[in-house]
Amino acid sequence: MNVVRVFPLILLAAALSACAGKPARSDAPVADTVVPATSTAPVDNAAGADAPAASVVADAPVPAAATPAPAVASQGASGNDAAATAPGGDDDFDALYGANGSTTSTAAYDPWEPFNRKVHGFNNAVDRGIARPLATAYTHVVPRFARTGVSNFFSNLRAPLTITNQLLQGRPADAWDSLGRFLMNSTLGVGGLFDPASKAMVPRRNEDFGQTLGAWGWRRSRYVELPFFGPRTVRDVFGLAGDIPLSPIRRIESDKYRIGLQGLQLVDTRAQLLAIDDLRDTAVDEYALVRDAWMQRRNYQIENDLRGKRERGSDDANSPIPVDAMPMPQWTN
């Protein structure tokens, strides 16, 4: 493990943890239409002062911007050539927004909103100036089947990280499934370029240490957007430090190959999110849209980990819910 690369993340995590103890002051603008919260988020006992009291959370309004996702599905069917939604995506969508598209989650805990909005503006500037044009050119030049192979390859690389975190969460049966999927795709799938495991009905799951911390009890954590890294929570910042040692790409000694693979992953990740660009560009408050949708998706991933195996939905890598405000590679790969 390269200590020089991980040390800045540890410092950042420590700084965010220290700031978490300061009194929260929300400067968020009040939405024109709000939906009363119908559930109380559990108080974060594992993270100290990183979550407000339950009584405060119960009265928090939900911004109306948290329910625009039904329009994303139609965007994905347009000419933006996004990857098809994997089996189980409808179940994920219903679990988040309800069968009629209504949300039951509380407002995002975002006491650092003024800072986050500034970082979000920077990320969007980099996205529109560099990432989006590269992704658009990539989809025009590279055939669909080749792009699918690239996505499968990077997804397969995350298997060791997923398996480790499933074991840490006390889910050996899921870890066994993920190991079987990894072996099948690495051999029959020619190094992960093809995905025979999905045809064999082996579920695809993506786990990281941020989800493991959530499964261990750190359920609620304040939202923070980092330059280039995009949306995170304080919990997920600590999770990055736990995931990096399992990164297969970062173990490549040659800078030429390592940077090349990370660049290809960046473009591939951004290309998969082209379908939601129109929704983001026309949103009344694009920052609130991305924040609320990302937080709902993240909370669902953690809650999904706590369910029994039969009740657990499939993790949809092509979920219509925005994953990153500034789509970047999975830095833990």
Side-chain angles (χ1 to χ4, degrees):
M1 175 179 172
N2 193 323
V3 178
V4 175
R5 292 174 185 163
V6 179
F7 187 66
L9 280 177
I10 297 177
L11 287 180
L12 178 59
L16 291 175
S17 178
C19 292
K22 297 180 179 180
R25 182 178 62 88
S26 177
D27 297 325
V30 179
D32 293 335
T33 305
V34 296
V35 181
T38 58
S39 63
T40 301
V43 177
D44 178 9
N45 293 325
D50 193 34
S55 60
V56 176
V57 176
D59 298 330
V62 178
T67 59
V72 182
S74 62
Q75 295 290 343
S78 64
N80 287 325
D81 195 23
T85 302
D90 291 341
D91 294 337
D92 285 2
F93 184 86
D94 291 343
L96 280 169
Y97 296 101
N100 298 322
S102 60
T103 179
T104 59
S105 62
T106 58
Y109 181 36
D110 187 14
W112 296 333
E113 183 172 350
F115 166 79
N116 289 333
R117 284 185 178 272
K118 292 178 181 178
V119 176
H120 184 76
F122 168 79
N123 284 341
N124 272 350
V126 177
D127 181 38
R128 291 186 172 90
I130 300 176
R132 185 186 295 189
L134 285 175
T136 302
Y138 175 71
T139 59
H140 289 163
V141 173
V142 181
R144 181 196 292 265
F145 75 89
R147 299 199 306 273
T148 301
V150 170
S151 299
N152 290 339
F153 173 76
F154 286 118
S155 176
N156 195 57
L157 280 183
R158 287 186 58 84
L161 175 64
T162 294
I163 294 169
T164 301
N165 280 285
Q166 286 172 332
L167 291 174
L168 290 174
Q169 294 172 24
R171 296 159 51 193
D174 288 338
W176 180 256
D177 288 343
S178 297
L179 176 61
R181 179 183 182 86
F182 174 67
L183 296 176
M184 185 179 298
N185 284 348
S186 298
T187 54
L188 300 179
V190 192
L193 294 176
F194 301 96
D195 188 13
S198 290
K199 295 182 179 179
M201 305 300 291
V202 181
R204 173 190 298 178
R205 303 192 187 282
N206 292 318
E207 304 287 342
D208 55 60
F209 195 58
Q211 289 171 247
T212 298
L213 290 174
W216 286 353
W218 193 346
R219 304 290 176 77
R220 183 166 172 83
S221 182
R222 62 179 64 197
Y223 179 80
V224 60
E225 184 162 343
L226 303 178
F228 301 111
F229 283 74
R232 291 292 186 273
T233 62
V234 173
R235 177 192 60 234
D236 293 323
V237 173
F238 279 93
L240 284 174
D243 290 335
I244 285 178
L246 298 175
S247 166
I249 293 180
R250 288 178 176 269
R251 292 181 179 273
I252 299 176
E253 296 295 335
S254 173
D255 291 340
K256 176 182 178 180
Y257 293 108
R258 184 181 65 255
I259 295 174
L261 284 173
Q262 289 175 333
L264 178 60
Q265 189 183 25
L266 183 155
V267 175
D268 172 69
T269 301
R270 187 59 182 90
Q272 295 181 46
L273 297 176
L274 286 174
I276 65 172
D277 283 347
D278 289 342
L279 176 67
R280 292 175 55 193
D281 291 343
T282 58
V284 176
D285 187 348
E286 193 262 354
Y287 167 80
L289 165 68
V290 172
R291 177 198 62 194
D292 294 341
W294 187 89
M295 287 292 288
Q296 288 183 56
R297 173 62 177 169
R298 191 61 170 160
N299 290 337
Y300 169 72
Q301 288 177 320
I302 294 173
E303 292 299 327
N304 194 44
D305 290 341
L306 302 176
R307 301 175 185 172
K309 187 173 182 180
R310 293 185 178 182
E311 293 78 17
R312 191 178 300 128
S314 298
D315 186 51
D316 177 15
N318 300 312
S319 169
I321 301 168
V323 177
D324 288 300
M326 167 61 182
M328 296 293 287
Q330 295 290 339
W331 293 94
T332 51
N333 270 1

